[in-house]
């Protein structure tokens, strides 16, 4: 059986007519950058997230970077975020000139350890940036209380959590603003690069809209030093079609997760923790095992691709060692990085495939 880690072609085939029509519409109108398709998507995505506004940009990294810039974050400021995250979270902070301050993770949730945040706060801290990693939200009630107590702004990195909820509220609706990525493999993916900021703060929206377009609200009048971070019209059109299916796709990811839990039950392998306050959207289904490499090789030999999210933590990356990080600094994150394996999960993954993958994992453990 041929297993894919993700199957974007299958998803395209299921909505091909709508997508092709939407793309043709943009080409016929020649609105290649921003334009009506992007505006429509911004309105619909803001509503979806429970926010007043969305600003569409050219990547998730830009979304986080521009939000920080719009808030005046820069040299001398500190931004607290999780040690277990994709590099972009930390890069977005470093690009503003601010200092990223990492906090180790909770071994259960694999998200920022809420008990360690206060130790990391200094007089220079401006922002706490929780990351809802793998599609599972941080306890935003507890995090929000810490931020409030210390008068800090919360910006969510929701790049892996489109549609995830905590206490029935969607990712993106808790912080002053949130950054989303529409990298093709994300739960809501464009057909190229894309990202968005959601917020209900009107003045923040105005500043971010200027920053994404060379600091200008009026052509050739540049009030701020911005950059080019505009979304393509085609991406807006594609995303607006796909947004309608996001909830059903997230349900399908949950179907896959439920079946993995059932089929992998009883093995010496840790499946993702569940919390009754959360609706998780399983951007990844990450298991933990001793001897991860052997399992990964065995699955690969049996035609089952797996990935590691992420094999080298940010604080051990060569490019970031100058940022004041040192190996050994975040032991929970480091231990996790040695033990994790992401199994295939996507809405179109069938029961037969899940059963085959699970059977091979059982076989590996001599079950
Ligand atoms: C994907 C991702 C980003 C960055 O998004 P891009 O669109 O690739 O720039 C940021 N943070 C996290 C946690 C991500 O997974």
């Amino acid at each position: 059986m041929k297993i894919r880690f993700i199957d974007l072609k299958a998803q395209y085939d299921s909505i091909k007519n709508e997508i092709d029509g939407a793309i043709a519409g943009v080409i016929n109108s020649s609105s290649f950058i921003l334009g009506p398709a992007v505006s429509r998507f911004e309105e619909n995505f803001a509503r979806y997230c429970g926010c007043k506004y969305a600003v569409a940009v050219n990547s998730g990294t830009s979304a986080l970077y521009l939000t920080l810039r719009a808030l005046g974050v820069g040299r001398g400021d500190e931004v607290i975020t999780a040690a277990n995250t994709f590099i972009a979270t930390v890069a977005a902070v470093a690009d503003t000139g601010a200092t990223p301050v990492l906090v180790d993770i909770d071994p259960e949730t694999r998200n920022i350890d809420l008990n360690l945040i206060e130790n990391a706060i200094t007089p220079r801290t401006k922002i706490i940036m929780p990351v809802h990693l793998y599609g599972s939200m941080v306890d935003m009630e507890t995090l929000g209380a810490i931020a409030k107590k210390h008068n800090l702004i919360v910006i969510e990195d929701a790049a892996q959590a489109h549609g995830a909820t905590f206490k029935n509220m969607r990712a993106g609706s808790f912080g002053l603003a949130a950054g989303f990525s529409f990298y093709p493999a994300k739960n809501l993916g464009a057909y190229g690069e894309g990202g968005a900021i959601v917020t209900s703060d009107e003045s923040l929206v105005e500043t971010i809209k200027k920053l994404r377009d060379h600091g200008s609200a009026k052509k050739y009048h540049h009030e701020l030093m911005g950059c080019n971070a505009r979304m393509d019209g085609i991406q807006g059109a594609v995303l607006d079609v796909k947004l309608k299916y996001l909830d059903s796709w997230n349900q399908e990811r949950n179907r896959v997760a439920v079946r993995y839990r059932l089929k992998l039950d009883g093995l010496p392998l840790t499946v993702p923790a569940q919390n009754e306050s959360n609706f998780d959207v399983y951007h990844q289904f990450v298991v933990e095992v001793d001897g991860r490499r052997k399992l990964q090789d065995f699955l690969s030999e049996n035609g089952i691709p797996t990935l590691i999210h992420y094999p080298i933590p940010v604080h051990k990356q060569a490019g970031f060692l100058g940022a004041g990080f040192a190996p050994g600094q975040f032991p929970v994150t480091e231990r996790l990085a040695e033990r994790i394996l992401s199994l295939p999960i996507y809405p179109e993954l069938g029961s037969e495939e899940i059963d085959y993958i699970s059977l091979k994992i059982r076989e590996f453990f001599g079950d």
Side-chain angles (χ1 to χ4, degrees), residues 59-61 64 85-86 88-89 131 133 157 159-160 181 183 186 194 310:
S59 75
T61 310
L64 296 172
T85 187
F86 179 56
T89 314
V131 184
L133 205 70
D157 181 342
Q160 300 191 1
S181 164
Y183 180 80
K186 298 285 161 89
Y310 297 91

Side-chain angles (χ1 to χ4, degrees), residues 289-297 338-339 364-365:
V289 282
D290 292 330
R292 182 257 318 275
R293 170 168 302 162
K294 280 193 188 142
L295 174 58
Q296 186 171 35
D297 289 349
E338 301 290 323
R339 294 170 48 79
F364 172 80
F365 285 110

Side-chain angles (χ1 to χ4, degrees), residues 68-85:
L68 296 172
R69 279 280 315 275
L71 291 167
V73 173
R75 205 161 298 282
D77 298 328
E78 292 177 356
V79 176
I80 292 176
T81 192
N84 183 32
T85 187

Side-chain angles (χ1 to χ4, degrees), residues 306-329:
T306 57
L307 290 172
I308 299 164
H309 298 96
Y310 297 91
I312 307 170
V314 174
H315 68 283
K316 291 170 87 176
Q317 293 286 351
F320 282 75
L321 288 175
F325 305 135
Q329 208 178 348

Side-chain angles (χ1 to χ4, degrees), residues 1 4 27 39-40 55 57 77 134 141 148 163 184 196 211 223 239 242 245 274 276 305 313 339 345 348 353:
M1 191 178 290
R4 292 172 207 274
I27 297 172
S39 300
R40 248 189 326 270
V55 185
V57 293
D77 298 328
Y134 310 139
E141 219 164 62
K148 195 163 176 212
L211 287 173
E223 302 163 47
L239 288 164
K242 290 178 102 184
Y245 299 95
Q274 287 176 290
E276 57 186 25
R339 294 170 48 79
I345 189 163
E348 300 78 13
E353 293 158 307

